Amino acid sequence: MTAFLTSADLLERNRKWSESTRVQDPEFFKRLAAQQKPRFLWIGCSDSRVPANQIIGLSPGEVFVHRNVSNIAHPTDVNLMSVLEYAVDVLQVSEVLLVGHYGCGGVHAALSGRLPGIADFWLEPIRELRRKRAMHLVGLEGRALEDRICELNVAEQVSVLAHSGIVQSAWERGQKLLIHGWIYSLDDGVIKDLGVTRDSAT
Ligand code: CO
């Protein structure tokens, strides 16, 4: 297993990866260095078990990525919003993938009680969701409740993105842009489309 890897081991692994990649495709790094033109923006959880490229089978250069705890799109988050702006306005991605996952530690923490300091602020949208959607959560508890909130959180964040000035402006000027809400299962590695896709008509 990888439990005793050190950072020096990682540099060694990197050297080998670079070598084998160049053996397989001598032009690979030259092409990427010249330009990135990803079609997708992935916004997902920071959880180490949910690595964007690997899960959807994409190579370097094929997906622009932003990750934070519990894949939340705070409208005031200048980090996420500048990623979104660059992806939509400059890279002109055609699809945004907002990807949550079942068993999310951030969702669990938010529902388990008060957290210290900044995490408490960060995860407030999750608790707000539970208050707002209480009627739809009747009878659910424990893991079932958390998993349902993981799904609702994805739908909510898709809505936040769709209402952002960046996305609204893109749609107004006729740019093709879809925003999908997906959820990933840690149990079997399968992504489910939650059917909450937004486009300029919705
Ligand atoms: Co998570």
Side-chain angles (χ1 to χ4, degrees), residues 63-132:
V63 58
F64 203 58
V65 174
H66 177 87
R67 291 166 68 183
N68 63 42
V69 173
S70 298
N71 39 272
I72 294 172
H74 280 269
T76 54
D77 179 357
V78 292
N79 184 352
L80 181 142
M81 288 302 162
S82 54
V83 167
L84 180 67
E85 183 179 70
Y86 189 76
V88 171
D89 292 357
V90 180
L91 297 173
Q92 306 237 320
V93 298
S94 49
E95 303 188 63
V96 177
L97 318 167
L98 190 300
V99 189
H101 68 102
Y102 294 117
C104 183
V107 170
H108 175 77
L111 301 180
S112 301
R114 296 200 74 75
L115 296 157
I118 199 77
D120 192 57
F121 163 75
W122 181 258
L123 293 168
E124 177 55 25
I126 307 279
R127 280 193 290 265
E128 190 187 341
L129 207 50
R130 178 165 63 172
R131 291 192 294 272
K132 274 198 323 193

Side-chain angles (χ1 to χ4, degrees), residues 7-115:
S7 55
D9 297 322
L10 301 186
L11 291 176
E12 178 58 19
R13 284 182 175 216
N14 165 256
R15 199 185 54 73
K16 286 182 181 153
W17 171 76
S18 166
E19 257 176 36
S20 65
T21 303
R22 277 177 284 156
V23 167
Q24 282 170 26
D25 181 356
E27 299 300 310
F28 183 79
F29 291 109
K30 271 185 211 155
R31 266 199 325 273
L32 279 186
Q35 190 192 22
Q36 67 159 340
K37 193 67 185 137
R39 287 193 52 228
F40 305 100
L41 166 62
W42 170 289
I43 298 173
C45 184
S46 296
D47 193 307
S48 66
R49 299 166 295 180
V50 196
N53 288 68
Q54 204 168 345
I55 287 172
I56 49 178
L58 293 182
S59 298
E62 295 185 309
V63 58
F64 203 58
V65 174
H66 177 87
R67 291 166 68 183
N68 63 42
V69 173
S70 298
N71 39 272
I72 294 172
H74 280 269
T76 54
D77 179 357
V78 292
N79 184 352
L80 181 142
M81 288 302 162
S82 54
V83 167
L84 180 67
E85 183 179 70
Y86 189 76
V88 171
D89 292 357
V90 180
L91 297 173
Q92 306 237 320
V93 298
S94 49
E95 303 188 63
V96 177
L97 318 167
L98 190 300
V99 189
H101 68 102
Y102 294 117
C104 183
V107 170
H108 175 77
L111 301 180
S112 301
R114 296 200 74 75
L115 296 157

Side-chain angles (χ1 to χ4, degrees), residues 111-188:
L111 301 180
S112 301
R114 296 200 74 75
L115 296 157
I118 199 77
D120 192 57
F121 163 75
W122 181 258
L123 293 168
E124 177 55 25
I126 307 279
R127 280 193 290 265
E128 190 187 341
L129 207 50
R130 178 165 63 172
R131 291 192 294 272
K132 274 198 323 193
R133 304 294 170 83
M135 274 171 54
H136 302 281
L137 300 169
V138 175
L140 294 176
E141 57 184 38
R143 179 66 191 263
L145 172 67
E146 288 177 16
D147 284 350
R148 182 66 188 126
I149 290 185
C150 286
E151 294 176 343
L152 292 175
N153 182 42
V154 168
E156 180 71 17
Q157 305 315 321
V158 165
S159 175
V160 171
L161 294 176
H163 287 106
S164 69
I166 296 158
V167 169
Q168 290 288 320
S169 301
W171 283 338
E172 276 165 24
R173 62 179 178 256
Q175 192 173 331
K176 292 266 179 283
L177 179 66
L178 297 171
I179 305 173
H180 304 288
W182 291 356
I183 193 152
Y184 176 77
S185 167
L186 296 172
D187 295 330
D188 59 11

